[in-house]
Amino acid sequence: MNRPAGEEASSAPDGGICLVLGAGGFRGLAHVGVLKALRRASVPIHSIIGVSIGSLVAAFHAGLGLEPDEIAARLSRLTTSTFFALGIALRRWGPLSRRARCAVSGHLDELELLANLRLDRLHFGVRRLGLLAMDLPGGDEVFAATDLPCPVPPGKLVLGGISIPGLFPTVRVDSPGRTYHLADGGFSRSVPVERAFQPPFSARRVLAVDLQVIRGFRERRGGRWRRLQAEHGDSLVRLLPDVEKTGTVFFRRGDGAALLRAGEDAVSGEVISRLTLSRRGC
């Protein structure tokens, strides 16, 4: 049974099922399809970790309490030209940026909702939320999570974590002793599975949604998934939605519906059975 929306997140060890939402740009609509399918099957998600577009979907859903259909409606309004206009609007390029801000004002308003994001007050039964970004120029990972101290406000971390280098400016955060320049965490790890098995998550089962993008520089050693599967066995379930025909930044109007279906279809009966087994051990 779902916890009431907005209840305080638990500080007790979670275990349970952790959903890891990977990088993928516009393909992130498939993440929303996965959420819809899991809700329909009454599979309880105890924690979510997101990177890049996965962090935005996770923050909107678990952090701000948006239903999957609401998130789908917001993301479906994006277009390739919107992506580039947002990149210009977020810079300081004088009249050009001002015109771009007028053109994408609705999308900017939606991003401003992230200022209200709290990691200790979550929704839909999720007990922990984790968000990954990358600090430039060094490439250090910056990870914020429920019950894990982080000097970067979670809303800023999500904004930085979706900022594709070259397309969007980095997000600057000044904290005592350090200034961060946050960028897309997917360039470090496109699917940060490892963190789901580590404290404070310590998941018993991990459902990792891989949108099949270029791997982050920390993932490029060959055989990573084979090693992870060998280490964690049935505790790791990898989903590969059929999204390769859709680009991450360049896409066609109407691709959104196909991506949602791909996410839903990836949650097969076999996947649900494997996750249900984990419930019996929780």
Side-chain angles (χ1 to χ4, degrees), residues 219-249:
E219 302 171 309
R220 289 179 183 168
R221 182 182 165 197
R224 173 177 179 255
W225 282 105
R226 286 195 302 274
R227 290 193 303 277
L228 286 168
Q229 206 72 63
E231 180 179 358
H232 299 291
D234 289 340
S235 295
L236 174 58
V237 181
R238 182 188 183 194
L239 281 193
L240 293 165
D242 183 11
V243 297
E244 291 185 283
K245 293 179 181 177
T246 302
T248 56
V249 174

Side-chain angles (χ1 to χ4, degrees), residues 67-104:
E67 293 282 353
D69 285 340
E70 294 179 85
I71 303 172
R74 292 165 189 257
L75 295 184
S76 294
R77 291 196 292 269
L78 290 171
T79 64
T80 298
S81 60
T82 300
F83 264 52
F84 285 94
L86 279 168
I88 296 170
L90 293 168
R91 298 180 188 274
R92 297 178 178 177
W93 288 352
L96 183 61
S97 291
R98 286 195 292 273
R99 287 196 297 272
R101 282 194 286 272
C102 289
V104 296

Side-chain angles (χ1 to χ4, degrees), residues 49 193-203:
I49 294 174
V193 173
E194 295 86 349
R195 290 187 180 271
F197 289 106
Q198 300 166 357
F201 294 87
S202 303

Side-chain angles (χ1 to χ4, degrees), residues 2 29 56 62 78 100 120 135 144 151 155 185 227-228 261 276 280:
N2 277 344
L29 269 163
L56 184 63
L78 290 171
D120 62 347
D135 184 33
R227 290 193 303 277
L228 286 168
R261 285 195 302 272
T276 302
R280 298 171 188 164

Side-chain angles (χ1 to χ4, degrees), residues 20-31 50-57 75 78 83 132 161-164 167-168 184-192 209-216 219 241 243-251 255 259:
V20 179
L21 302 179
F26 189 68
R27 291 180 184 177
L29 269 163
H31 289 324
V51 64
S52 191
I53 189 64
S55 68
L56 184 63
V57 172
L75 295 184
L78 290 171
F83 264 52
L132 180 66
I162 60 174
S163 297
I164 302 170
L167 180 57
F168 299 111
D184 193 325
F187 283 77
S188 177
R189 295 179 207 267
S190 63
V191 192
V209 187
D210 183 354
L211 300 183
Q212 303 149 76
V213 296
I214 296 172
R215 296 306 175 202
E219 302 171 309
V243 297
E244 291 185 283
K245 293 179 181 177
T246 302
T248 56
V249 174
F250 294 96
F251 47 87
D255 283 345
L259 289 167

Side-chain angles (χ1 to χ4, degrees), residues 6 48 57-66 116-119 121-124 126 129:
I48 305 179
V57 172
F60 275 163
H61 182 62
L64 298 178
L66 298 186
N116 301 316
L117 181 62
R118 287 177 52 181
L119 299 184
R121 193 168 184 84
L122 304 177
H123 303 258
F124 304 113
V126 177
L129 176 60

Side-chain angles (χ1 to χ4, degrees), residues 4 13 29 43 93 107 111 124 136 147 167 217 253 257 268 280:
L29 269 163
V43 176
W93 288 352
H107 296 291
L111 292 178
F124 304 113
L136 294 180
D147 295 333
L167 180 57
F217 71 87
R253 193 178 291 274
S268 64
R280 298 171 188 164

